[in-house]
Amino acid sequence: MLRFFLYLIPFSILLWSVVAASDYYEQLILKPLPQSTVLASFNFKSNTSLANFDTHNFRYFPRSLGQILHHVGTRELHLRFSLGRWDAESWGARPWDGTKEGGTGVELWAWIGAADDEEADRKWLSLTNALSGLFCASLNFIDETRTTRPVMSFLPEGNHPDRTIDNMHLLHGVLPREVVCTENLTPFLKLLPCKGKAGISSLLDGHKLFDASWQSMAIDIRPICPSNEDGGECVLQIEQTIDMVLDVERSKRPRDNPIPRPPPGHEMKCNSSKPYHSGDTCFPTDYAEGQEWALDQVFGKSIKGACPLTDPNVPPVCVQVPHSREIYTTAGATESKNPNGLLRCYQVPSDADFSMILPLIAREGEGGKTSADEIIEPETPLLYAERSFTGHGYERGGVQTILTNPSPDMDVEFVYMESLPWFMRVYLHTLKTNIDGDSGPNEDVIKEIYYRPALDRVRGTQLEVRMSIPPASTVFLTYDFEKSILRYTEYPPDANRGFDVAAAIITILPSDTQQKASNLRTTTLLLSLPTPDFSMPYNVIIFTSTAIALAFGGLYNILIRRFVGAEESRDVGVGGLKGRVIAVVARIAAKFKGAKGKVE
């Protein structure tokens, strides 16, 4: 699984030297994927010494975020904004081993320094409210019912002194219903030193980012200390990452005319290898085989020069393609190829725009090339995971997770974590695992279970299971639950749509072949609960109002209206209001007639 990061070996070896030489650097890695898609990974890193952080002396580290962390006492923070679904079967292993990925919506977990749980909860509430205003997100809705304290799933990524680890409290919250949009991208860019005006961040545009097939924005803040041999001062590092999978054909559509239309005949790309190919007969070329694309076509604009604050030793743009594939760049860019044959990087001029073109390779004729010359074959993930609901009706249901180990000779050990809402009452005794092909349940798969039951309207259910799957096996993890009936004020405006259930978090533990832990998330689920007929209150209101109006109107007429006989009505009409009005009109008409006679 580490093959995806072979191109990062020269930079990971010199990680601390880069940190010491420069407090900020950025890099964009482009990787063409099957089915005419491109994975774009933006990575930004800023550092500040812990001494400067404690004295509020910020340079590249964003002040707005640093003041929040200092006020709340946050030792380490991880924030995720995700949208879409990663297609592991087509695109292979996740970027960054899944460590920069979050579940659909917004996900936050942090280590907070506090003396006890009550103080940690107060600081957690202050942290979510502050981040909600900073990133224009609904993080303030992460209350105690959406907060968990993971036990086996997360470990600190930074270097923390032994004296502070005992007072660190891990809290985790997720909002699967949150819609990620441009409002979250704008504050993300404002945290960067170049603010999206120069460097690779100038490519980031909300129209392209949120039109991607899958996208994830990540912010990681952690302390990093050098080894004892290197010496040096500890720094607080903020790493901002944006990963997106762009459909080349859809991204090349012009913004002013985004509606797909059939291309004209002279613009159609035809497969000339067909025997019936002629001037008036065309078999369209399969776009899944790849096509020509340029950087300014996919992102809608070019890179506005290199960011002047970035480390000049780190090339800002890299492409992960075979060295045999041709790439054309704008003037002024310098190319360097990695010895592993999988990566080439480019230094971008600071005073000129930069773009590149990857032409369509010829697959026909004597010198025809194959897919191996166009893209690097995606790496097989360590684990495949799918999750869905089972059962029917509005009273009970079940959850089934399908976990597949594709390795033919290696076990996979991982921690499976679910954070469920309180209205899903899990029956823990129904939790079981079955290996595909076996007739009965297999108890050897589950090694350890941590279960924290839910309390109605107080906290949700927390379930963590440490499992081990044999090689080339598929395991079905199932359990049953009961659906609760909510109060009518607890339903959202679109109650019939259902309730979003957060994605399951899978942490693959280190092994002999993989030194670091990796992560993956399942998709979110949509739960249907017993929903009252919200139209009935309106029907009752309308019916009651009509009945009151009829009853009150009739009673009012009886009490106020004067009833007289038919003979008396003539006299009443003459002497009443009607009669007086007629008399006034008659006098005015007589005056006009008299004035007219005198004039004549």
Side-chain angles (χ1 to χ4, degrees):
M1 191 171 185
L2 296 176
R3 194 183 70 181
F4 178 77
F5 297 99
L6 288 178
Y7 57 83
L8 290 178
I9 290 178
F11 308 113
S12 61
I13 294 176
L14 301 176
L15 175 62
W16 180 250
S17 62
V18 169
V19 170
S22 175
D23 290 335
Y24 174 73
Y25 80 89
E26 60 185 24
Q27 191 174 59
L28 167 63
I29 301 173
L30 300 171
K31 180 183 179 181
L33 296 175
Q35 299 180 355
S36 189
T37 55
V38 177
L39 170 63
S41 297
F42 295 79
N43 185 251
F44 312 89
K45 286 185 180 180
S46 302
N47 306 292
T48 184
S49 64
L50 293 180
N52 290 336
F53 177 77
D54 293 336
T55 58
H56 298 273
N57 184 15
F58 302 100
R59 187 184 179 192
Y60 297 118
F61 197 95
R63 177 183 295 272
S64 58
L65 192 56
Q67 291 177 342
I68 295 175
L69 301 178
H70 193 276
H71 173 72
V72 180
T74 304
R75 307 293 174 79
E76 185 172 329
L77 181 139
H78 303 273
L79 180 61
R80 302 288 186 267
F81 299 89
S82 301
L83 191 65
R85 171 183 171 271
W86 177 267
D87 188 0
E89 295 183 357
S90 301
W91 303 336
R94 288 164 165 79
W96 313 103
D97 285 341
T99 56
K100 310 297 183 185
E101 176 188 354
T104 302
V106 179
E107 186 177 348
L108 171 68
W109 68 96
W111 279 265
I112 298 176
D116 51 20
D117 292 343
E118 294 182 359
E119 182 183 358
D121 291 336
R122 291 194 301 268
K123 290 185 175 181
W124 172 256
L125 182 63
S126 301
L127 177 64
T128 54
N129 281 274
L131 294 178
S132 175
L134 182 62
F135 290 101
C136 298
S138 303
L139 291 167
N140 55 310
F141 285 96
I142 300 180
D143 53 9
E144 62 275 5
T145 62
R146 297 180 174 91
T147 301
T148 58
R149 298 174 181 269
V151 176
M152 299 184 291
S153 296
F154 296 98
L155 293 175
E157 298 181 8
N159 305 117
H160 300 275
D162 295 337
R163 65 180 183 274
T164 62
I165 292 181
D166 295 336
N167 294 329
M168 288 172 51
H169 296 258
L170 171 62
L171 293 99
H172 175 272
V174 60
L175 291 174
R177 192 183 179 88
E178 183 75 6
V179 179
V180 185
C181 60
T182 311
E183 293 177 344
N184 311 121
L185 176 63
T186 302
F188 184 93
L189 295 177
K190 289 183 178 180
L191 300 179
L192 300 174
C194 289
K195 312 294 183 183
K197 306 298 182 181
I200 61 174
S201 61
S202 62
L203 292 177
L204 294 173
D205 179 75
H207 295 85
K208 297 295 183 180
L209 175 61
F210 299 107
D211 189 48
S213 302
W214 174 84
Q215 65 90 9
S216 176
M217 296 190 300
I219 296 178
D220 299 283
I221 301 175
R222 51 186 174 263
I224 295 180
C225 296
S227 59
N228 296 329
E229 294 79 7
D230 297 334
E233 186 180 7
C234 296
V235 299
L236 185 66
Q237 182 184 89
I238 175 173
E239 183 176 4
Q240 298 176 243
T241 307
I242 293 183
D243 298 295
M244 66 180 84
V245 176
L246 298 171
D247 184 272
V248 174
E249 179 64 23
R250 189 168 69 246
S251 299
K252 290 169 65 175
R253 297 173 188 165
R255 184 182 299 180
D256 56 348
N257 188 18
I259 300 176
R261 294 181 174 87
H266 63 278
E267 295 182 3
M268 292 186 64
K269 299 180 180 180
C270 305
N271 189 350
S272 58
S273 63
K274 300 295 182 180
Y276 47 80
H277 175 73
S278 61
D280 57 352
T281 305
C282 175
F283 186 85
T285 303
D286 186 7
Y287 283 103
E289 296 180 355
Q291 56 179 303
E292 176 181 320
W293 60 274
L295 195 66
D296 54 349
Q297 287 181 331
V298 173
F299 291 96
K301 50 187 175 180
S302 304
I303 296 179
K304 304 300 181 181
C307 178
L309 303 176
T310 187
D311 183 10
N313 297 322
V314 179
V317 180
C318 294
V319 184
Q320 190 179 5
V321 293
H323 286 179
S324 59
R325 184 168 185 180
E326 297 179 348
I327 298 179
Y328 303 102
T329 63
T330 54
T334 57
E335 181 186 72
S336 60
K337 294 185 177 180
N338 195 292
N340 61 11
L342 304 177
L343 184 78
R344 64 183 76 179
C345 297
Y346 298 90
Q347 290 286 355
V348 178
S350 59
D351 55 350
D353 293 352
F354 172 81
S355 183
M356 64 172 58
I357 299 176
L358 279 75
L360 180 66
I361 63 174
R363 297 176 179 269
E364 305 169 3
E366 297 181 357
K369 299 182 179 180
T370 61
S371 299
D373 300 317
E374 182 180 13
I375 64 173
I376 298 175
E377 188 68 21
E379 183 183 358
T380 303
L382 292 177
L383 188 70
Y384 292 100
E386 299 178 9
R387 189 175 64 150
S388 61
F389 279 132
T390 59
H392 57 85
Y394 289 97
E395 184 179 1
R396 293 182 177 86
V399 175
Q400 174 181 265
T401 305
I402 304 176
L403 304 163
T404 303
N405 179 12
S407 175
D409 55 359
M410 184 181 64
D411 294 351
V412 175
E413 187 174 358
F414 59 90
V415 176
Y416 178 88
M417 173 183 170
E418 283 197 357
S419 178
L420 304 174
W422 61 267
F423 44 79
M424 286 181 60
R425 298 174 178 173
V426 178
Y427 294 137
L428 188 62
H429 70 279
T430 62
L431 179 67
K432 61 181 180 180
T433 56
N434 293 320
I435 297 180
D436 189 19
D438 294 351
S439 57
N442 193 308
E443 303 296 340
D444 297 334
V445 174
I446 298 179
K447 305 298 182 181
E448 184 179 358
I449 297 178
Y450 176 83
Y451 175 69
R452 190 182 186 215
L455 297 177
D456 287 356
R457 298 174 179 87
V458 176
R459 71 186 185 197
T461 300
Q462 179 181 345
L463 176 63
E464 295 184 68
V465 183
R466 186 167 63 90
M467 306 172 59
S468 179
I469 299 182
S473 301
T474 299
V475 173
F476 295 85
L477 175 67
T478 59
Y479 61 86
D480 299 333
F481 65 91
E482 183 183 22
K483 302 178 182 180
S484 302
I485 298 178
L486 306 181
R487 300 166 183 166
Y488 79 96
T489 56
E490 295 174 337
Y491 286 90
D494 52 347
N496 291 288
R497 174 184 174 272
F499 292 81
D500 293 271
V501 180
I505 303 173
I506 300 176
T507 304
I508 302 177
L509 303 177
S511 60
D512 297 336
T513 58
Q514 183 179 358
Q515 302 300 324
K516 295 177 61 178
S518 59
N519 300 91
L520 63 96
R521 264 82 169 172
T522 64
T523 56
T524 57
L525 298 177
L526 198 60
L527 176 65
S528 297
L529 291 180
T531 306
D533 186 2
F534 287 99
S535 65
M536 289 304 297
Y538 301 100
N539 296 336
V540 172
I541 292 173
I542 293 173
F543 177 78
T544 306
S545 301
T546 304
I548 292 176
L550 293 175
F552 177 79
L555 182 61
Y556 183 80
N557 287 333
I558 293 174
L559 296 176
I560 301 301
R561 181 173 295 179
R562 180 182 177 187
F563 295 92
V564 298
E567 296 179 355
E568 299 178 3
S569 63
R570 298 189 185 94
D571 298 336
V572 174
V574 173
L577 178 62
K578 180 178 180 182
R580 291 195 296 270
V581 173
I582 294 174
V584 172
V585 173
R587 286 197 299 268
I588 294 174
K591 289 181 179 181
F592 277 103
K593 289 182 180 180
K596 184 177 181 182
K598 291 180 180 181
V599 173
E600 293 177 354

